Amino acid sequence: MKQDIILCGVGGQGILSIATIIGWAALKEGIHLKQAEVHGMSQRGGDVQSNLRLSDAPISSDLIAHGACDLIISLEPMEALRYVQYLNPNGWVITNTTPFVNIPNYPEMEAVNEELKKQGNVIMIDVDAIAKEVKSPRSANMVLLGAAASVLEMLKPEQLLEGITNVFASKGEAIVETNIAAFKAGYEFAQKNK
């Protein structure tokens, strides 16, 4: 079994934290893992993308080929569109609906949403609003991870929750709890909207 994942967004949104948690959980479960990251000009607002490959057998390459991706997890809707050519026919897109408008010619959101909906298996979620609802606005990335957990075949939600606990433990119990609450809210949303 394998699952190829593209994580994307813009700098400062927390994409690399999602990759760290998935990676931690995968390694703890003995799942083979390869990861490649692209950081957008090493600045806030630049494109950030990570290829994350999970498998029950050794993996040769850390890059995902066009048409081979099983899951795109995106904190920014236009960034999700940037990578849809990598999706396989049964692949999923889990994306935030709130744009991060960092370019002057950002397309109309209606057009972006229509293109995303054409992908078939799509969960569009306002992670920012849900994070605020659970009183954790800085945990929008964990809302997105929770939504993605509903289609992440190789890891169970409990394993990801353990990863959240481990990754954020040094920041204190309150931070761990708010991130767990955000994850659970995203997971519940996705379960109802798949």
Side-chain angles (χ1 to χ4, degrees), residues 67-86:
C69 181
D70 300 298
L71 174 60
I72 294 174
I73 302 172
S74 181
L75 273 161
E76 208 292 322
M78 191 178 74
E79 291 300 324
L81 277 181
R82 186 187 304 252
Y83 298 101
V84 293
Q85 73 270 18
Y86 286 88

PDB file of all heavy atoms in Angstrom, residues 67-86:
ATOM      1  N   GLY A  67       0.039  12.948 -12.364  1.00  0.00           N
ATOM      2  CA  GLY A  67      -0.989  11.923 -12.451  1.00  0.00           C
ATOM      3  C   GLY A  67      -0.883  10.823 -11.411  1.00  0.00           C
ATOM      4  O   GLY A  67      -1.619   9.845 -11.479  1.00  0.00           O
ATOM      5  N   ALA A  68       0.028  10.953 -10.446  1.00  0.00           N
ATOM      6  CA  ALA A  68       0.240   9.884  -9.461  1.00  0.00           C
ATOM      7  C   ALA A  68      -0.154  10.257  -8.035  1.00  0.00           C
ATOM      8  O   ALA A  68      -0.171   9.402  -7.159  1.00  0.00           O
ATOM      9  CB  ALA A  68       1.713   9.455  -9.479  1.00  0.00           C
ATOM     10  N   CYS A  69      -0.501  11.507  -7.794  1.00  0.00           N
ATOM     11  CA  CYS A  69      -0.787  11.976  -6.431  1.00  0.00           C
ATOM     12  C   CYS A  69      -2.158  11.476  -5.957  1.00  0.00           C
ATOM     13  O   CYS A  69      -3.143  11.537  -6.681  1.00  0.00           O
ATOM     14  CB  CYS A  69      -0.751  13.499  -6.405  1.00  0.00           C
ATOM     15  SG  CYS A  69      -1.062  14.217  -4.790  1.00  0.00           S
ATOM     16  N   ASP A  70      -2.191  10.982  -4.729  1.00  0.00           N
ATOM     17  CA  ASP A  70      -3.436  10.490  -4.137  1.00  0.00           C
ATOM     18  C   ASP A  70      -4.185  11.572  -3.375  1.00  0.00           C
ATOM     19  O   ASP A  70      -5.402  11.502  -3.212  1.00  0.00           O
ATOM     20  CB  ASP A  70      -3.131   9.338  -3.166  1.00  0.00           C
ATOM     21  CG  ASP A  70      -2.450   8.178  -3.865  1.00  0.00           C
ATOM     22  OD1 ASP A  70      -3.062   7.602  -4.775  1.00  0.00           O
ATOM     23  OD2 ASP A  70      -1.291   7.874  -3.503  1.00  0.00           O
ATOM     24  N   LEU A  71      -3.459  12.583  -2.878  1.00  0.00           N
ATOM     25  CA  LEU A  71      -4.065  13.560  -1.987  1.00  0.00           C
ATOM     26  C   LEU A  71      -3.306  14.879  -2.046  1.00  0.00           C
ATOM     27  O   LEU A  71      -2.088  14.902  -1.893  1.00  0.00           O
ATOM     28  CB  LEU A  71      -4.043  13.009  -0.549  1.00  0.00           C
ATOM     29  CG  LEU A  71      -4.504  13.893   0.599  1.00  0.00           C
ATOM     30  CD1 LEU A  71      -5.952  14.325   0.426  1.00  0.00           C
ATOM     31  CD2 LEU A  71      -4.324  13.146   1.919  1.00  0.00           C
ATOM     32  N   ILE A  72      -4.042  15.970  -2.301  1.00  0.00           N
ATOM     33  CA  ILE A  72      -3.495  17.319  -2.196  1.00  0.00           C
ATOM     34  C   ILE A  72      -4.110  17.944  -0.961  1.00  0.00           C
ATOM     35  O   ILE A  72      -5.336  17.988  -0.821  1.00  0.00           O
ATOM     36  CB  ILE A  72      -3.809  18.173  -3.440  1.00  0.00           C
ATOM     37  CG1 ILE A  72      -3.091  17.618  -4.662  1.00  0.00           C
ATOM     38  CG2 ILE A  72      -3.425  19.637  -3.199  1.00  0.00           C
ATOM     39  CD1 ILE A  72      -3.461  18.300  -5.972  1.00  0.00           C
ATOM     40  N   ILE A  73      -3.261  18.400  -0.050  1.00  0.00           N
ATOM     41  CA  ILE A  73      -3.703  19.091   1.163  1.00  0.00           C
ATOM     42  C   ILE A  73      -3.212  20.525   1.015  1.00  0.00           C
ATOM     43  O   ILE A  73      -2.006  20.764   0.993  1.00  0.00           O
ATOM     44  CB  ILE A  73      -3.104  18.445   2.432  1.00  0.00           C
ATOM     45  CG1 ILE A  73      -3.490  16.969   2.520  1.00  0.00           C
ATOM     46  CG2 ILE A  73      -3.548  19.206   3.676  1.00  0.00           C
ATOM     47  CD1 ILE A  73      -2.771  16.211   3.645  1.00  0.00           C
ATOM     48  N   SER A  74      -4.147  21.485   0.897  1.00  0.00           N
ATOM     49  CA  SER A  74      -3.750  22.853   0.601  1.00  0.00           C
ATOM     50  C   SER A  74      -4.375  23.865   1.554  1.00  0.00           C
ATOM     51  O   SER A  74      -5.588  23.876   1.754  1.00  0.00           O
ATOM     52  CB  SER A  74      -4.144  23.210  -0.836  1.00  0.00           C
ATOM     53  OG  SER A  74      -3.739  24.526  -1.135  1.00  0.00           O
ATOM     54  N   LEU A  75      -3.544  24.734   2.086  1.00  0.00           N
ATOM     55  CA  LEU A  75      -4.024  25.821   2.940  1.00  0.00           C
ATOM     56  C   LEU A  75      -4.407  27.056   2.133  1.00  0.00           C
ATOM     57  O   LEU A  75      -4.822  28.056   2.697  1.00  0.00           O
ATOM     58  CB  LEU A  75      -2.962  26.186   3.982  1.00  0.00           C
ATOM     59  CG  LEU A  75      -3.048  25.346   5.247  1.00  0.00           C
ATOM     60  CD1 LEU A  75      -1.758  25.387   6.034  1.00  0.00           C
ATOM     61  CD2 LEU A  75      -4.222  25.777   6.105  1.00  0.00           C
ATOM     62  N   GLU A  76      -4.293  26.980   0.806  1.00  0.00           N
ATOM     63  CA  GLU A  76      -4.602  28.123  -0.048  1.00  0.00           C
ATOM     64  C   GLU A  76      -5.225  27.594  -1.332  1.00  0.00           C
ATOM     65  O   GLU A  76      -4.634  26.746  -1.995  1.00  0.00           O
ATOM     66  CB  GLU A  76      -3.318  28.903  -0.334  1.00  0.00           C
ATOM     67  CG  GLU A  76      -3.494  30.378  -0.610  1.00  0.00           C
ATOM     68  CD  GLU A  76      -4.197  30.678  -1.913  1.00  0.00           C
ATOM     69  OE1 GLU A  76      -3.952  29.972  -2.909  1.00  0.00           O
ATOM     70  OE2 GLU A  76      -4.987  31.635  -1.947  1.00  0.00           O
ATOM     71  N   PRO A  77      -6.439  28.045  -1.712  1.00  0.00           N
ATOM     72  CA  PRO A  77      -7.144  27.436  -2.850  1.00  0.00           C
ATOM     73  C   PRO A  77      -6.420  27.536  -4.188  1.00  0.00           C
ATOM     74  O   PRO A  77      -6.410  26.570  -4.953  1.00  0.00           O
ATOM     75  CB  PRO A  77      -8.487  28.164  -2.872  1.00  0.00           C
ATOM     76  CG  PRO A  77      -8.405  29.283  -1.912  1.00  0.00           C
ATOM     77  CD  PRO A  77      -7.232  29.056  -1.025  1.00  0.00           C
ATOM     78  N   MET A  78      -5.807  28.673  -4.504  1.00  0.00           N
ATOM     79  CA  MET A  78      -5.112  28.778  -5.788  1.00  0.00           C
ATOM     80  C   MET A  78      -3.887  27.864  -5.820  1.00  0.00           C
ATOM     81  O   MET A  78      -3.536  27.313  -6.856  1.00  0.00           O
ATOM     82  CB  MET A  78      -4.707  30.217  -6.093  1.00  0.00           C
ATOM     83  CG  MET A  78      -4.233  30.376  -7.534  1.00  0.00           C
ATOM     84  SD  MET A  78      -3.807  32.056  -7.967  1.00  0.00           S
ATOM     85  CE  MET A  78      -2.259  32.238  -7.114  1.00  0.00           C
ATOM     86  N   GLU A  79      -3.243  27.693  -4.663  1.00  0.00           N
ATOM     87  CA  GLU A  79      -2.108  26.773  -4.596  1.00  0.00           C
ATOM     88  C   GLU A  79      -2.571  25.335  -4.857  1.00  0.00           C
ATOM     89  O   GLU A  79      -1.846  24.550  -5.462  1.00  0.00           O
ATOM     90  CB  GLU A  79      -1.385  26.885  -3.257  1.00  0.00           C
ATOM     91  CG  GLU A  79      -0.657  28.198  -3.062  1.00  0.00           C
ATOM     92  CD  GLU A  79       0.422  28.467  -4.104  1.00  0.00           C
ATOM     93  OE1 GLU A  79       1.106  27.519  -4.539  1.00  0.00           O
ATOM     94  OE2 GLU A  79       0.577  29.640  -4.490  1.00  0.00           O
ATOM     95  N   ALA A  80      -3.763  24.985  -4.408  1.00  0.00           N
ATOM     96  CA  ALA A  80      -4.302  23.645  -4.716  1.00  0.00           C
ATOM     97  C   ALA A  80      -4.415  23.474  -6.227  1.00  0.00           C
ATOM     98  O   ALA A  80      -4.044  22.422  -6.777  1.00  0.00           O
ATOM     99  CB  ALA A  80      -5.657  23.445  -4.044  1.00  0.00           C
ATOM    100  N   LEU A  81      -4.917  24.506  -6.916  1.00  0.00           N
ATOM    101  CA  LEU A  81      -5.053  24.433  -8.382  1.00  0.00           C
ATOM    102  C   LEU A  81      -3.709  24.264  -9.078  1.00  0.00           C
ATOM    103  O   LEU A  81      -3.614  23.612 -10.109  1.00  0.00           O
ATOM    104  CB  LEU A  81      -5.711  25.706  -8.916  1.00  0.00           C
ATOM    105  CG  LEU A  81      -7.218  25.775  -8.866  1.00  0.00           C
ATOM    106  CD1 LEU A  81      -7.706  27.086  -9.457  1.00  0.00           C
ATOM    107  CD2 LEU A  81      -7.848  24.602  -9.583  1.00  0.00           C
ATOM    108  N   ARG A  82      -2.689  24.845  -8.499  1.00  0.00           N
ATOM    109  CA  ARG A  82      -1.350  24.768  -9.099  1.00  0.00           C
ATOM    110  C   ARG A  82      -0.889  23.310  -9.250  1.00  0.00           C
ATOM    111  O   ARG A  82      -0.115  22.988 -10.145  1.00  0.00           O
ATOM    112  CB  ARG A  82      -0.359  25.534  -8.227  1.00  0.00           C
ATOM    113  CG  ARG A  82       1.024  25.654  -8.801  1.00  0.00           C
ATOM    114  CD  ARG A  82       1.996  26.266  -7.822  1.00  0.00           C
ATOM    115  NE  ARG A  82       1.613  27.546  -7.320  1.00  0.00           N
ATOM    116  CZ  ARG A  82       2.191  28.703  -7.655  1.00  0.00           C
ATOM    117  NH1 ARG A  82       3.175  28.710  -8.527  1.00  0.00           N
ATOM    118  NH2 ARG A  82       1.796  29.836  -7.128  1.00  0.00           N
ATOM    119  N   TYR A  83      -1.379  22.426  -8.395  1.00  0.00           N
ATOM    120  CA  TYR A  83      -0.880  21.043  -8.368  1.00  0.00           C
ATOM    121  C   TYR A  83      -1.892  19.989  -8.817  1.00  0.00           C
ATOM    122  O   TYR A  83      -1.585  18.806  -8.761  1.00  0.00           O
ATOM    123  CB  TYR A  83      -0.357  20.724  -6.959  1.00  0.00           C
ATOM    124  CG  TYR A  83       0.803  21.620  -6.596  1.00  0.00           C
ATOM    125  CD1 TYR A  83       0.626  22.721  -5.772  1.00  0.00           C
ATOM    126  CD2 TYR A  83       2.059  21.405  -7.146  1.00  0.00           C
ATOM    127  CE1 TYR A  83       1.674  23.578  -5.480  1.00  0.00           C
ATOM    128  CE2 TYR A  83       3.114  22.256  -6.868  1.00  0.00           C
ATOM    129  CZ  TYR A  83       2.917  23.343  -6.040  1.00  0.00           C
ATOM    130  OH  TYR A  83       3.956  24.187  -5.762  1.00  0.00           O
ATOM    131  N   VAL A  84      -3.073  20.379  -9.303  1.00  0.00           N
ATOM    132  CA  VAL A  84      -4.077  19.369  -9.656  1.00  0.00           C
ATOM    133  C   VAL A  84      -3.628  18.460 -10.795  1.00  0.00           C
ATOM    134  O   VAL A  84      -4.098  17.315 -10.880  1.00  0.00           O
ATOM    135  CB  VAL A  84      -5.471  19.980  -9.963  1.00  0.00           C
ATOM    136  CG1 VAL A  84      -6.090  20.585  -8.723  1.00  0.00           C
ATOM    137  CG2 VAL A  84      -5.410  20.964 -11.104  1.00  0.00           C
ATOM    138  N   GLN A  85      -2.698  18.896 -11.636  1.00  0.00           N
ATOM    139  CA  GLN A  85      -2.226  18.020 -12.713  1.00  0.00           C
ATOM    140  C   GLN A  85      -1.474  16.807 -12.161  1.00  0.00           C
ATOM    141  O   GLN A  85      -1.263  15.830 -12.860  1.00  0.00           O
ATOM    142  CB  GLN A  85      -1.365  18.787 -13.733  1.00  0.00           C
ATOM    143  CG  GLN A  85       0.009  19.173 -13.253  1.00  0.00           C
ATOM    144  CD  GLN A  85       0.054  20.534 -12.576  1.00  0.00           C
ATOM    145  OE1 GLN A  85      -0.965  21.077 -12.167  1.00  0.00           O
ATOM    146  NE2 GLN A  85       1.244  21.090 -12.448  1.00  0.00           N
ATOM    147  N   TYR A  86      -1.094  16.867 -10.884  1.00  0.00           N
ATOM    148  CA  TYR A  86      -0.409  15.734 -10.255  1.00  0.00           C
ATOM    149  C   TYR A  86      -1.388  14.670  -9.758  1.00  0.00           C
ATOM    150  O   TYR A  86      -0.988  13.544  -9.482  1.00  0.00           O
ATOM    151  CB  TYR A  86       0.445  16.219  -9.075  1.00  0.00           C
ATOM    152  CG  TYR A  86       1.696  16.927  -9.506  1.00  0.00           C
ATOM    153  CD1 TYR A  86       1.690  18.293  -9.747  1.00  0.00           C
ATOM    154  CD2 TYR A  86       2.883  16.231  -9.692  1.00  0.00           C
ATOM    155  CE1 TYR A  86       2.836  18.951 -10.160  1.00  0.00           C
ATOM    156  CE2 TYR A  86       4.034  16.875 -10.097  1.00  0.00           C
ATOM    157  CZ  TYR A  86       4.002  18.233 -10.331  1.00  0.00           C
ATOM    158  OH  TYR A  86       5.144  18.879 -10.742  1.00  0.00           O
TER     159      TYR A  86
END
